[in-house]
Amino acid sequence: MRGPLLVALALHAGLVIAADAGDRHVFEGAVEVSAIKVSSPFTTWLDEGEGKLRFDEDDGPLEFSRAFLEYRGRLTPTVVAHGVLNIQDTKDRPLDLTEAYLEWRPVPRTPWRVRSRIGAFYPKLSLENVDPGWSSPYGLSASAINTWIGEELRTVGAEVRVSRVLSQLPLAPELAFEGAMFYGNDPTGALLNWRGWSLHDRQTGLTSSLPLPEIPAIEPWEPVPDNDRGLEPFEEIDHDPGFYAGVEWRMGESFRLKYFHYDNHGDPEALNGMDYAWQTRFDHLGLQFTLPGDIGVISQWLDGITRMGPDLGPWHVWDSGFDARFLLLTRAFGRHRVSARYDDFDVQPYNDPAKYTNRDDGHAWTASWLYEWSAHMRLGAEYVAIATEHCETTQCAWVFNGLPRTSRQNQLQLSLRWTLE
Amino acid sequence: MGAGRWVVFRMLVAALAGATAPGIAWGGQQVSLAATGPDGRPAAGVVVYLPDVRAPGGPPPVVVDQRDEAFVPAISVVQAGSDVQFTNSDPTSHHVYSFSRPNAFALPLYKGSDRLVQRFARPGVVVLGCNIHDSMLGYVVVVESTRFGVTGPDGRVTLADVPAGRHVVRAWAPGLDRGSPPEVGAVEVSSSAPASLSFRLDVAGYAPGPKKRGALAGGDY
């Protein structure tokens, strides 16, 4: 536990610098530790197992969840530098940046506003992860969709958002269009294909790599090119840029509707050393609104495909469809916040299912409670219950390897977070 | 007392009244205006003015504060040629601008006790924004008049010291065309009694609630 203490001291030093600099340089950060109790038949995927959670039965009871320091610095009146330093665990690269970019916000001369980002950053997809450090104000573990975005998605490129307030309409809604061109993100989709969906609070650093599970789809059936060294999801392999484009209709926080199409334009046959590019594309829909009684509703839906290797006609060597959706209800009671979420997710292999059997069809219930004890201290409790079917019949590789055809993975987490403010 | 002395006395009283109670000058009458929306309910935040009154007096200069990442008040009216003072009560900086021609402007980044002044020379609706906080929205309505106001939560506003005569009333609220505020009626002001007018608009008025963190959080671009 010495690491978090050092981080806390470093964050405190950051706070002192920030106080001196006024709001030209803004630092925000947090350190979070948790007590964990997991019930799962699998080793966590982070230890190359099949488990969907960040921890397994060998972990706990005390775990270091995360520390981060987010910096925003105004270089000129219209150019802001952003950086997020993230410390998550010692599995790969304990200290890494999750975002580093410049934002240009020219003063509008017409009703259309232009905002532009260049560097490495999250596409603005998540309606859950809206707090500093891409953390969630609603719970401890992200939904399956946003967990995956934290794992495998990052824009390394340039993004433009053009928006206007339609002030002649009631409630003055904002209409926005955004699009980006990016390099990197060529292996994106590999983790979904091999491991399936997952639910946790871990984010991949920009230079970090991810372990791949020893699932039957990979071993011992076939050697997998990128298994030995793990997966670097933000690597550029085919030197062909990807793109995304989206449109949003928004009334402050009380209503948001956003459609988004993503295509990493990966060449499924491109190879860099032992790493293949994956051709991954998806459509995404996000909706958020407030019900009477001040109950917030957030929902995201995602549907796409990912494929790698030579084209065999009906499918590529590795070829999967994936989709997920969740519904989250949340309500604040003074300093308390209670949220409940239902996730439904699926990875469906299109290639020979009897052989590869990387099917992942499941759902998860999450209930969480957060309490702002003081301006600097937050307590949290969360229960996650995941149920998954790994293959449709008992005649599958998963079962031949002695793994259960279906599984339940549960986690109880108590968390204590110290926040810079 | 002769007639000449009486005139001097009247002038003295008028001068005293003008000096001690601005806006309640001798001879002017109150005009009460009441606005409702399309559903008949009181419309708050409606700008009203009497375009043909250019008499001296009228409301004092306007200050637009920035508080909790909102313009306060969200809607102001000024006479063409007036200065508006922008103040900042927030701990963070703001960068106020407007793209509304011919009153487009941008004030430099400022925070704390800085007070910046912007002159609005030409009539028109000026949409205010903050380049740092995209969710901030405000309006300054610049009018060629010295008798104007903004309706309160009850949809009512009283204009003081309106000279006798028949005056056209114009009104504007967000949602209406920003080009030319429509005529909503006229008031007949006599020298002996207050006048009033009720009118209905095609929009519901504008009453931004206090900014608070409700059920859903954040996500400003």
Side-chain angles (χ1 to χ4, degrees):
Chain A
M1 297 293 282
R2 254 177 59 206
L5 186 66
L6 289 173
V7 172
L9 288 171
L11 291 186
H12 185 72
L15 180 67
V16 172
I17 296 167
D20 279 351
D23 76 338
R24 224 186 125 196
H25 303 280
V26 175
F27 292 86
E28 293 184 86
V31 182
E32 185 173 12
V33 291
S34 296
I36 299 278
K37 178 82 180 104
V38 172
S39 151
S40 165
F42 304 125
T43 301
T44 170
W45 68 278
L46 282 160
D47 287 333
E48 298 180 17
E50 302 81 16
K52 294 181 168 302
L53 294 159
R54 182 174 158 193
F55 299 105
D56 57 35
E57 290 185 356
D58 292 338
D59 293 316
L62 275 185
E63 293 289 343
F64 169 56
S65 286
R66 188 192 181 197
F68 74 89
L69 184 64
E70 173 163 341
Y71 166 72
R72 290 191 302 277
R74 197 170 294 119
L75 306 182
T76 78
T78 58
V79 177
V80 184
H82 296 251
V84 180
L85 192 62
N86 196 54
I87 303 174
Q88 204 115 53
D89 53 36
T90 53
K91 289 208 166 69
D92 172 43
R93 203 173 292 247
L95 182 75
D96 204 350
L97 289 166
T98 49
E99 293 188 283
Y101 63 94
L102 291 175
E103 183 182 14
W104 182 46
R105 305 171 67 88
V107 177
R109 293 177 186 282
T110 72
W112 291 98
R113 289 195 284 244
V114 178
R115 272 70 180 105
S116 178
R117 299 193 288 170
I118 184 161
F121 47 85
Y122 281 104
K124 300 247 179 191
L125 279 171
S126 176
L127 299 178
E128 266 187 321
N129 304 68
V130 293
D131 267 359
W134 208 70
S135 58
S136 165
Y138 306 112
L140 304 177
S141 304
S143 60
I145 290 174
N146 294 321
T147 297
W148 178 60
I149 290 170
E151 288 171 341
E152 284 206 296
L153 224 61
R154 219 61 53 86
T155 307
V156 183
E159 180 193 77
V160 177
R161 178 183 168 103
V162 180
S163 68
R164 92 176 269 169
V165 174
L166 304 171
S167 57
Q168 67 274 27
L169 297 183
L171 302 173
E174 180 189 18
L175 175 65
F177 302 93
E178 62 191 49
M181 295 276 278
F182 56 87
Y183 276 92
N185 257 190
D186 276 335
T188 298
L191 192 61
L192 261 191
N193 179 78
W194 298 133
R195 182 209 57 193
W197 298 92
S198 135
L199 280 85
H200 56 77
D201 63 350
R202 190 180 185 279
Q203 300 176 38
T204 312
L206 291 172
T207 64
S208 302
S209 65
L210 297 170
L212 287 170
E214 291 174 359
I215 60 170
I218 303 178
E219 293 174 355
W221 295 81
E222 293 215 352
V224 164
D226 39 18
N227 193 31
D228 292 343
R229 301 176 17 215
L231 171 76
E232 292 172 29
F234 314 130
E235 192 182 2
E236 177 58 36
I237 292 171
D238 61 8
H239 304 288
D240 186 17
F243 78 96
Y244 58 76
V247 57
E248 181 172 16
W249 179 267
R250 176 171 185 175
M251 290 162 212
E253 269 97 58
S254 59
F255 184 88
R256 294 180 75 175
L257 177 64
K258 183 167 188 170
Y259 167 76
F260 191 96
H261 179 78
Y262 175 99
D263 188 340
N264 75 347
H265 226 257
D267 174 356
E269 297 186 34
L271 191 64
N272 175 21
M274 293 291 278
D275 298 337
Y276 271 99
W278 288 70
Q279 183 183 32
T280 300
R281 48 180 182 240
F282 62 82
D283 292 293
H284 177 273
L285 203 57
L287 172 67
Q288 124 172 357
F289 60 94
T290 308
L291 284 175
D294 244 2
I295 297 169
V297 181
I298 297 176
S299 185
Q300 288 177 237
W301 171 88
L302 187 150
D303 188 7
I305 58 119
T306 185
R307 52 169 72 118
M308 179 266 266
D311 189 351
L312 304 179
W315 49 64
H316 287 251
V317 172
W318 304 99
D319 205 327
S320 293
F322 57 87
D323 62 86
R325 68 218 113 229
F326 75 85
L327 179 71
L328 182 149
L329 300 180
T330 181
R331 193 184 192 287
F333 299 89
R335 292 169 165 209
H336 300 263
R337 178 179 282 281
V338 178
S339 306
R341 184 182 63 216
Y342 176 75
D343 279 89
D344 182 59
F345 49 81
D346 187 44
V347 176
Q348 180 68 53
Y350 296 141
N351 51 336
D352 186 352
K355 186 178 178 189
Y356 300 116
T357 327
N358 51 340
R359 180 175 166 81
D360 178 35
D361 183 3
H363 65 264
W365 286 98
T366 306
S368 53
W369 164 78
L370 300 176
Y371 172 60
E372 300 290 340
W373 190 4
S374 72
H376 296 289
M377 205 62 84
R378 188 186 80 178
L379 299 178
E382 183 180 86
Y383 188 72
V384 184
I386 308 172
T388 307
E389 184 181 272
H390 305 284
C391 40
E392 284 172 288
T393 69
T394 52
Q395 301 297 306
C396 73
W398 192 281
V399 174
F400 295 156
N401 278 268
L403 294 167
R405 193 177 70 83
T406 62
S407 73
R408 290 184 179 277
Q409 304 170 48
N410 304 331
Q411 174 178 282
L412 176 66
Q413 180 177 2
L414 305 174
S415 113
L416 180 64
R417 192 180 75 162
W418 180 79
T419 312
L420 270 180
E421 194 65 59
Chain B
M1 209 173 341
R5 282 185 187 178
W6 175 240
V7 169
V8 171
F9 177 71
R10 282 273 305 257
M11 286 171 67
L12 267 173
V13 171
L16 274 173
T20 53
I24 310 174
W26 206 262
Q29 281 297 343
Q30 285 194 349
V31 170
S32 300
L33 300 164
T36 51
D39 55 359
R41 295 211 290 214
V46 176
V47 168
V48 292
Y49 64 102
L50 312 179
D52 61 352
V53 182
R54 311 278 168 86
V62 162
V63 176
V64 176
D65 192 21
Q66 285 149 96
R67 208 180 304 153
D68 298 332
E69 293 181 15
F71 292 107
V72 181
I75 301 187
S76 312
V77 206
V78 298
Q79 185 189 359
S82 305
D83 291 338
V84 170
Q85 193 172 67
F86 288 92
T87 59
N88 182 359
S89 299
D90 279 338
T92 60
S93 296
H94 288 295
H95 192 171
V96 187
Y97 72 89
S98 178
F99 52 77
S100 305
R101 295 188 181 88
N103 288 303
F105 72 97
L107 294 175
L109 271 175
Y110 67 111
K111 66 175 293 188
S113 57
D114 293 352
R115 300 161 84 81
L116 293 168
V117 169
Q118 176 66 33
R119 174 160 297 176
F120 294 103
R122 308 275 294 278
V125 176
V126 182
V127 182
L128 301 177
C130 170
N131 198 46
I132 298 173
H133 306 99
D134 278 346
S135 61
M136 289 174 65
L137 178 64
Y139 301 89
V140 173
V141 181
V142 186
V143 296
E144 297 266 32
S145 167
T146 55
R147 295 297 180 275
F148 48 76
V150 182
T151 62
D154 57 357
R156 293 171 182 278
V157 64
T158 300
L159 309 184
D161 190 20
V162 178
R166 185 175 185 279
H167 303 295
V168 165
V169 180
R170 286 183 184 270
W172 183 86
L176 292 178
D177 181 49
R178 291 203 293 266
S180 167
E183 247 183 72
V184 293
V187 285
E188 197 73 51
V189 178
S190 75
S191 55
S192 58
S196 64
L197 173 73
S198 294
F199 61 91
R200 183 177 284 216
L201 281 181
D202 292 339
V203 292
Y206 189 71
K211 194 174 162 134
K212 58 166 187 160
R213 189 160 189 169
L216 296 167
D220 211 7
Y221 192 87

